[in-house]
Amino acid sequence: MNNQLRYFMTLLLMMAVSVGWSETKTEGFEKKSTGTDFQSTFTVPSTSSDCGIGWEIYYGAVSKQECISGKQSAAMRIYTAAKYGYLKTTTPIDNLTNVSFKAKASRANSATIKINISYSNDGSTWTLIKSDMELSSSANIFSFDIPVGGRYFQIAISPNSKRPSSKSAQLTIDDVVFTYNSVTLAPSKAYTTLTSAYSLDFTNITGLAAFIVKAEDVKSNSVKLTQVQKVPANTGLVLQKTGTEASYSIPVFDGTDADNVIGNLMYGSATEEVSVAAESGYILKDGKFHLSEAGTLAKGKAYLRIVNTEAKELNITFGESTGINNVNENDNESGKIFNLAGQQMKSAVKGVYIKNGKKYIK
């Protein structure tokens, strides 16, 4: 096998990253205890919801009465007084693209309930998507696309509803499905590379970390990686897998407040193959950077684009990372082992780990 073919096959073996663009969260209102006061504000914190999304329900509650699915549903009531309830999210969902839900409305006491659907970028200023949509007494599924930038969702009883002649009438909501963009990465090795067409947020990801390489961190026989959290689109990355999950869902965001990656030497293309000349850079393989031979880099991958022919390979070291500083001195002295996210492990796993305040590679 000649060197060029061997090099090309090496690049193919590094492509163990799969990509998917949609994720969903479903809220069924089953975890929160039932409310009894329908004439105040009822809150569901994210820690008590089915899918980690907080709610605020005005003139309503989570109720077992007239529920649609399961044992409980969200309910809002309309009374003879001019009070109009709403149900809105209080937890932002980055890159929210669609919300669907089941809904029905009681026609008790001659009431007719109409709803307004809105979205918000910041949770305080709301923009209408649909107004005065009249509901029937049987449950139906409704679906709404969310414009770019939308992170919050609201269902509100319209003031144009016909209020009941006495007592109240009820609006019931259930099985709210949030669809949002994300990238699903499934690296098969401890180290791989990535160039994504989307801005990715690794902030709350455990078990998979992203790094860039700065020029000042390339030495004669080593290269130091700098961890990044909110990564702009089209940034070449080194990914390090320290967890045991088969895949990791990385949220996509709009690029606002992204980390500064100016001067990053990792280069690739998310949309097309990249020609790599002999000795024009370094290819990541088996936890080291190896001097490149002539070949083609697959789209979605990255290589270290720098000329340093004095070294045939470069070892990997690490800069300070968010989370490492959270390991306290007492734990350092006790010989406990932590991953790069600062989480204690029972034993060292393949990759980088922290012991006695120092970094090790297994």
Side-chain angles (χ1 to χ4, degrees), residues 22 35 87 114 120 125 129 131 139 214 228 230-232 259:
S22 293
L87 171 72
K114 299 178 180 180
S120 174
T125 302
I129 299 176
S131 62
K214 299 178 181 179
V228 286
K230 302 186 72 174
V231 184
D259 292 348

Side-chain angles (χ1 to χ4, degrees), residues 194-214:
L194 175 72
T195 302
S196 171
Y198 294 82
S199 298
L200 302 179
D201 187 356
F202 288 83
T203 303
N204 296 314
I205 304 301
T206 300
L208 187 68
F211 300 85
I212 59 173
V213 177
K214 299 178 181 179

Side-chain angles (χ1 to χ4, degrees), residues 4 7-16 192-196 234-238 265-278 280-285 289-290 292-305:
Q4 184 168 348
Y7 175 73
F8 179 72
M9 291 188 68
T10 297
L11 297 187
L12 288 178
L13 290 172
M14 294 170 61
M15 290 189 284
T192 186
T193 64
L194 175 72
T195 302
S196 171
N234 301 305
T235 300
L237 297 172
V238 175
L265 298 179
M266 294 300 298
Y267 176 78
S269 173
T271 58
E272 58 187 10
E273 296 179 339
V274 175
S275 295
V276 180
S280 65
Y282 288 82
I283 301 298
L284 182 63
K285 180 187 177 184
F289 282 101
H290 298 262
S292 66
E293 299 174 1
T296 302
L297 186 73
K299 63 181 179 180
K301 306 303 294 183
Y303 76 105
L304 182 60
R305 189 166 62 173

Side-chain angles (χ1 to χ4, degrees), residues 9-143:
M9 291 188 68
T10 297
L11 297 187
L12 288 178
L13 290 172
M14 294 170 61
M15 290 189 284
V17 176
S18 62
V19 178
W21 305 118
S22 293
E23 297 288 331
T24 61
K25 296 177 182 286
T26 301
E27 179 59 59
F29 305 100
E30 300 300 328
K31 287 186 177 181
K32 187 66 179 176
S33 60
T34 303
T36 56
D37 184 2
F38 284 81
Q39 298 188 49
S40 61
T41 301
F42 187 91
T43 60
V44 179
S46 59
T47 53
S48 298
S49 75
D50 293 344
C51 64
I53 296 175
W55 292 91
E56 180 178 298
I57 308 175
Y58 175 67
Y59 256 61
V62 173
S63 175
K64 295 180 180 179
Q65 299 181 30
E66 301 182 27
C67 66
I68 297 174
S69 298
K71 296 180 179 180
Q72 299 186 149
S73 297
M76 290 160 281
R77 289 182 181 171
I78 181 171
Y79 294 84
T80 55
K83 297 286 187 178
Y84 304 99
Y86 60 74
L87 171 72
K88 68 178 181 180
T89 58
T90 57
T91 302
I93 306 174
D94 287 327
N95 220 43
L96 183 64
T97 59
N98 181 273
V99 179
S100 66
F101 57 89
K102 295 178 183 177
K104 67 177 182 179
S106 166
R107 295 184 179 274
N109 302 311
S110 302
T112 300
I113 296 180
K114 299 178 180 180
I115 59 174
N116 294 334
I117 307 299
S118 305
Y119 78 96
S120 174
N121 295 347
D122 56 12
S124 59
T125 302
W126 296 89
T127 302
L128 270 173
I129 299 176
K130 181 76 173 181
S131 62
D132 294 331
M133 186 173 72
E134 186 173 333
L135 298 180
S136 69
S137 57
S138 59
N140 292 289
I141 298 176
F142 302 92
S143 178

Side-chain angles (χ1 to χ4, degrees), residues 151-213:
R151 304 171 75 205
Y152 300 84
F153 186 73
Q154 178 176 258
I155 303 168
I157 296 178
S158 169
N160 294 324
S161 300
K162 182 182 178 182
R163 299 198 300 273
S165 56
S166 63
K167 298 183 179 179
S168 65
Q170 181 167 305
L171 162 66
T172 304
I173 306 293
D174 209 339
D175 295 336
V176 186
V177 179
F178 303 94
T179 301
Y180 58 98
N181 282 346
S182 70
V183 174
T184 300
L185 304 177
S188 61
K189 298 182 178 181
Y191 295 94
T192 186
T193 64
L194 175 72
T195 302
S196 171
Y198 294 82
S199 298
L200 302 179
D201 187 356
F202 288 83
T203 303
N204 296 314
I205 304 301
T206 300
L208 187 68
F211 300 85
I212 59 173
V213 177

